[in-house]
């Protein structure tokens, strides 16, 4: 009977074998497309969720320029002209107080396109570079095979996104930003979120480790690479991902 230590040591190889065999399924391509759709939608929802986190945790009034008031140069020229339609608008205060949480929520909503477009672009970029890496290592698969592998690897991004939102929510819930302007408040929030770098980096490392397993198994199955060569290619991309996460 094998010892528990031996069983534990064989676990990584067993997991890689299972992933490699899963890529042999005729539904592997459909799974990749489904993963792309799920991660794209999930990232978009995550951006909205981040805005909701800002709205729920940042309860503060800040002073901003009044968007309903024309520029000062315009008011100097037409503000005293009673016949001008700008006269009433120039009577508005130059600055007003707004709810910072709502402003941040609206600002986050302006980045939805990063989820809708950014995820597919990341998929294409990763698939192309992965295909080049596989060919350099002696792989024999097609470009379509590389897109399938990249699609499967996308799933781990939801883990990183979820962990990031939770970490930001927890950090801001315990922060006390004091900035009275948008710029000062942003500085306070960035400083607070920086304190969550450790947990965020751990979550990124876990996600990248999952992607490493997926890429190794995929390269073995789709590009007919040996485990050592596949691990070398996957490790190269994992190292780059870790460096980017640590920046």
């Amino acid at each position: 009977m094998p010892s528990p230590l031996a069983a534990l040591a064989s676990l990584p190889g067993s997991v890689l074998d299972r992933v490699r065999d899963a890529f042999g399924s005729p539904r592997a391509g459909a799974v990749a497309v489904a993963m792309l759709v799920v991660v794209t939608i999930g990232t978009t929802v995550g951006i909205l969720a981040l805005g909701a986190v800002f709205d729920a945790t940042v309860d503060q009034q800040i002073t901003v320029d009044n968007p309903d008031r024309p520029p000062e140069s315009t008011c100097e020229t037409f503000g005293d002209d009673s016949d001008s339609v700008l006269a009433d608008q120039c009577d508005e205060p130059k600055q007003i107080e707004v709810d910072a949480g709502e402003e941040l929520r609206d600002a986050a909503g302006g980045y939805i396109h990063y989820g809708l477009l950014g995820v597919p672009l990341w998929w294409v970029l990763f698939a192309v570079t992965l295909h080049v890496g596989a060919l350099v290592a002696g792989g024999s698969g097609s470009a379509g095979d590389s897109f399938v592998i990249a699609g499967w690897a996308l799933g781990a991004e939801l883990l990183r996104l979820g962990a990031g939102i939770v970490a930001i929510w927890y950090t801001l819930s315990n922060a006390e930003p004091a900035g009275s302007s948008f710029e000062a408040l942003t500085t306070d929030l960035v400083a607070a979120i920086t304190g969550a770098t450790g947990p965020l980096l751990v979550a990124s490392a876990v996600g990248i480790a999952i992607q490493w397993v997926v890429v190794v198994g995929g390269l073995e199955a789709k590009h007919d690479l040996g485990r050592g060569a596949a691990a070398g290619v996957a490790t190269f991309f994992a190292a780059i991902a870790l460096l980017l996460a640590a920046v």
Side-chain angles (χ1 to χ4, degrees), residues 36-154:
L36 173 64
V37 173
V38 169
V39 174
T40 299
I41 295 174
T43 302
T44 304
V45 173
I47 293 172
L48 295 176
L50 180 61
V53 166
F54 286 138
D55 193 15
T57 57
V58 181
D59 185 16
Q60 188 171 339
Q61 297 290 313
I62 58 173
T63 302
V64 298
D65 292 335
N66 188 351
D68 295 328
R69 190 179 192 276
E72 188 61 29
S73 59
T74 302
C75 289
E76 289 178 355
T77 304
F78 302 102
D80 295 331
D81 185 355
S82 58
D83 295 329
S84 173
V85 296
L86 298 175
D88 290 340
Q89 295 179 8
C90 288
D91 289 336
E92 295 283 339
K94 294 181 180 180
Q95 294 185 314
I96 57 175
E97 287 192 345
V98 297
D99 184 274
E102 292 181 359
E103 290 292 305
L104 290 170
R105 180 196 62 200
D106 293 342
Y111 289 92
I112 289 180
H113 60 283
Y114 280 97
L116 296 174
L117 300 177
V119 173
L121 286 176
W122 184 93
W123 173 57
V124 171
L125 177 62
F126 181 47
V128 171
T129 54
L130 179 63
H131 188 65
V132 172
L135 292 179
V136 170
S140 58
S142 66
D145 292 329
S146 297
F147 274 90
V148 170
I149 299 170
W152 280 46
L154 275 175

Side-chain angles (χ1 to χ4, degrees), residues 20 134 137-142 145 149 216-227 229-230:
R20 180 198 61 206
S140 58
S142 66
D145 292 329
I149 299 170
V216 171
L219 290 175
E220 284 189 83
K222 295 296 187 179
H223 282 275
D224 199 26
L225 286 176
R227 182 152 297 176

Side-chain angles (χ1 to χ4, degrees), residues 10-32:
S10 66
L11 182 60
S14 176
V15 172
L16 288 172
D17 289 341
R18 288 178 178 273
V19 174
R20 180 198 61 206
D21 294 342
F23 272 104
S25 168
R27 296 189 298 273
V31 171

